[in-house]
Amino acid sequence: MPWPDDSLDSVPTQSFDDVVRLAAGLCGAAHAVICLQAGERLQAHASYSAAGTAGALAPDVCADAVVTDELLIVPDLLDDPEQLHRSLLARSAGTRFYAAVSLRSADGTVLGVLCVLDPAPRRDGLTSEQQDCLRSLARQTVTLLELRSEARVHRAQRILHERILDSAMDYAIIAMDHGGRITRWNGGAERILGWREAEVLGEPTHLIFTPEDRAAGRPETEMQLALARGSAPDERWHMRKDGDRFWASGELMPLKDENGTVQGFLKILRDRTQQRANESALRQAQEQLRLAVEATHIGIFDLDLVTGELAWDARVRALFGLPPDMPVSYDTFLAGLHPDDRGWVDATVRSALAPGGSGHVEIAYRTIGIEDGVERWLAATGQAILQDGRKTRFIGTVRDITEGRLAEQAIRETEERYRLAARATNDAIWDWNLASDHIRWNEAVQTLFGYAADEVGPSGSWWKSHIHPEDRERVKASIHAVIDGGTEHWTDEYRFLRADGAYAYILDRGYVLRDGSGRAVRMIGAMLDISARKRAEEHQRLLTGELQHRVKNTLALVQAIASQTLRGATNPEGARDALAARLISLGRAHDILTQASWTEAPIPDVVEGALCPHRPAGTSRIRTGGPNVLLAAKPALSLALALHELATNAAKYGALSNATGVVSVRWYVVHADDAPRFCLNWSELGGPTVSGPPVRRGFGSRLIERSFAAEVGGEVEMTYAPTGFTCRLEVPLASMQE
Amino acid sequence: MNSSAASPPVVALVAEDEALLRMEAADTLEEAGFKVLEVTSADAAMRHLEGTGGIDLLFTDVNMPGELNGLDLARAVADRWPAITIIVCSGATRPQPGELPPRARFIDKPYSPGLVKKVLRELRAA
């Protein structure tokens, strides 16, 4: 039914029944009906039939009622020329008289009709009085309908409001009168505060305030504030029925009618205890995070993988050399990377964030500050966050590890230097754990001493067993004196057994590491092979000895020359000149030996050296020639001294004493049966006539005989022919070369 | 020193490979009254001692070519011909204790003829 009866309707059904009864009575008709518009059709809403009337009224008697006019009177339906209302007859057989008045609202809308019907035709229709009455009743009906409609709308709204209020279970909505007494208490209030509405109606709102707020007059203050400012915030602890406290958040507002008169108050509260706790926990967590971030020098990044937005905190910005306010993007990140790291870092991040990627990144890279240009090492850890199986966010931390990296690099470089140094020096470097007797050797111990890797024993015992037996106890004593004593540095020299069985001379230097109590725990050192140095020292020693020997030998020669010269001296001046000339000759012979290897000298040089001071300038009066034979040092000296004496004599008495004489010096090697012999001929020609051998044999001839005659297996033949002096030497070649 | 007239001449054997030094040593010893024989090596000296003998003084250098050096010669002579007076001279290293026979004398080169004569006197007096 479109207009169903409602027990709560403000307009009772009886009112409409009264109208139709009055209409029938006033018009003297058997029936009266109120039909109301129901879509296109009309439906009977209330009907009256006088008692004992003939012909029942069909329920839908007005269904086709047509209201063309304000008031329609049809005296006899059978006479209706247009048979407009014929259909009515069809339904209510026996109806002849019909009158209807339209039910129009103030805005002209036709709500329905009020009609009267009678079985008897009525020629006179209705009296004007009856017509007025019918109109009045129609107006009355419209008023009733409008009242009822309004009431229904109002009620529906009220119900809606009630439902809204009560369904707002998260909100305590409390209405109060002027004095703060509760007039309404919704479901949310019951749930949050614990009291049922019935328990609190008429009570002051003080009961939900804490005792301290009540004592401080908070409820009154709130109402004053609400009146003064239009609303008063209520953010404080409140009380539940069971005495529990909860954190309420809401406000108190004055309730005003349409004239602006204050009717009471409305309080709306939410229980924010959990949120407050959450917020507090969040704040605390944020604070902790902030402190942790602060303390650990961590920067945080957050990349939105959906929008591409990148968020960097101040520290990340600082690490990329950016001021705090500059906007950043993934490209900024790439731009800040060291060129050597840009490629692989980008690839790593992209691969981790790709569908199917691990979503996790843990890398270290270099940045070059975008604005400050500073190079830094950063360690970054990032984790993608999944939403519905899709990576939507990439969040993580970066940390400055420059210092550590530099330290690491320094250590690496130190190690590298150590390794290179160890390789460069070839020292056998050892690291000896004194508690376990374990020694760690570098590779040099193999290369230095010729051992295979598995032949090198990793222990102090192995080392000691390879020290030369004559040195072993001494070295053990010296190293243990350092270990057991308080010093740190140990140095010793000893011989160390090589793989080939020879001994290398070692300079070993070690450094003792001690624990907190001063106990030696470790020793590190290097064995330097000083065999070459030892050999050089030995060589030096031999050289020095040899030099000493030669010097003393030379001095002995000088002494002998001096002694011999003075023995035969007839006048001091002559002795002085002779001595000087002989020493000069000796010196020149030394020069030649020194220019050669000292141990031997080529004979042409020796001959030339001895004779050149005697060669008259610009002439070739001394002619020499012979094969290049190497002479040993002593024979070379003897030969030089001998030639000097011969040339001196030639200058004094022989071929060189006049202007034309010549001297021929020829030597050769004769290959005899047993051994080669060395021969030298000194011949003078063109000098003054020689009268015979000198009366007294001089130093020169004695020296020549001593040097080349019987004692050395040779022969010396001196001939004082009138044409010139000749001297022939012949000695085993070997005696001139050993 | 001047006993040469009363007794047969004493004979010295000079072993020295350096001709000039040998000549000087021989002259010095002749001046001291010796009849001097000269050889140029310890080997030659040994051959002479074993072959001819008749030596009263051995005057030898240390470093010479050949199998033996002067010290070897001195020890052999001291051992086999204890009567022979021995003078060893060298410009090189001084002999270590024990290298030289007990009664032998060492003269460092270079030496003066006077030193040789002084040593000879001391040896005779001993």
Side-chain angles (χ1 to χ4, degrees), chain A residues 369-550:
Chain A
I370 292 168
E371 293 206 340
D372 63 11
V374 174
E375 182 171 328
R376 299 172 177 91
W377 271 100
L378 304 188
T381 306
Q383 180 66 51
I385 291 172
L386 291 173
Q387 204 167 0
D388 303 327
R390 201 171 140 237
K391 297 185 181 78
T392 56
R393 200 171 159 198
F394 182 55
I395 188 163
T397 61
V398 296
R399 193 158 48 86
D400 189 347
I401 55 165
T402 309
E403 219 168 278
R405 277 281 169 158
L406 291 179
E408 228 171 73
Q409 199 175 331
I411 287 170
R412 249 202 321 277
E413 281 171 4
T414 303
E415 281 176 353
E416 179 73 4
R417 266 203 301 278
Y418 162 80
R419 205 168 55 73
L420 289 174
R423 187 181 291 174
T425 60
N426 268 335
D427 286 3
I429 293 171
W430 47 269
D431 186 344
W432 187 14
N433 183 322
L434 297 173
S436 65
D437 190 39
H438 185 268
I439 286 187
R440 223 163 42 132
W441 296 97
N442 71 344
E443 276 176 29
V445 75
Q446 299 164 37
T447 51
L448 207 52
F449 305 125
Y451 290 106
D454 57 356
E455 289 174 325
V456 178
S459 68
S461 317
W462 183 84
W463 168 68
K464 285 172 187 165
S465 71
H466 283 64
I467 297 174
H468 193 288
E470 289 174 14
D471 299 340
R472 196 175 297 148
E473 291 311 312
R474 174 179 56 79
V475 172
K476 277 163 74 173
S478 82
I479 199 168
H480 283 290
V482 172
I483 291 169
D484 301 336
T487 55
E488 284 154 356
H489 294 279
W490 168 74
T491 303
D492 209 341
E493 286 187 20
Y494 55 87
R495 285 161 290 174
F496 192 77
L497 185 63
R498 295 172 45 88
D500 62 11
Y503 280 93
Y505 279 92
I506 296 301
L507 169 62
D508 204 344
R509 282 168 293 194
Y511 182 82
V512 181
L513 297 171
R514 298 182 186 279
D515 64 12
S517 62
R519 198 169 56 93
V521 290
R522 195 174 158 197
M523 205 168 167
I524 296 170
M527 292 167 70
L528 174 62
D529 187 344
I530 55 166
S531 303
R533 203 175 84 190
K534 280 280 175 189
R535 277 196 298 275
E537 281 173 7
E538 178 65 15
H539 185 60
Q540 183 66 40
R541 202 179 56 75
L542 288 172
L543 276 183
T544 308
E546 177 68 15
L547 183 64
Q548 152 101 349
H549 179 64
R550 283 180 191 170

Side-chain angles (χ1 to χ4, degrees), chain A residues 548-549 552-553 555-561 563-564 567 634 637-638 641 699 702-703 705-707 711-712 738, chain B residues 17-24 26-28 30-31 38-40 63 65 90-92 108-113:
Chain A
Q548 152 101 349
H549 179 64
K552 293 190 81 174
N553 199 54
L555 289 172
L557 287 175
V558 169
Q559 188 275 331
I561 288 168
S563 181
Q564 290 288 317
R567 261 196 194 99
K634 278 179 184 173
L637 281 175
S638 297
L641 290 173
F699 169 70
R702 291 180 65 218
L703 177 63
E705 281 176 350
R706 289 286 193 314
S707 299
E711 288 87 356
V712 292
E738 65 188 14
Chain B
D17 61 330
E18 190 87 53
L20 189 54
L21 301 182
R22 190 167 66 245
M23 186 166 87
E24 171 62 16
D27 287 355
T28 303
E30 277 173 4
E31 282 167 12
E38 297 176 33
V39 290
T40 61
N63 294 313
S90 175
D108 200 9
K109 283 187 193 173
Y111 53 84
S112 69

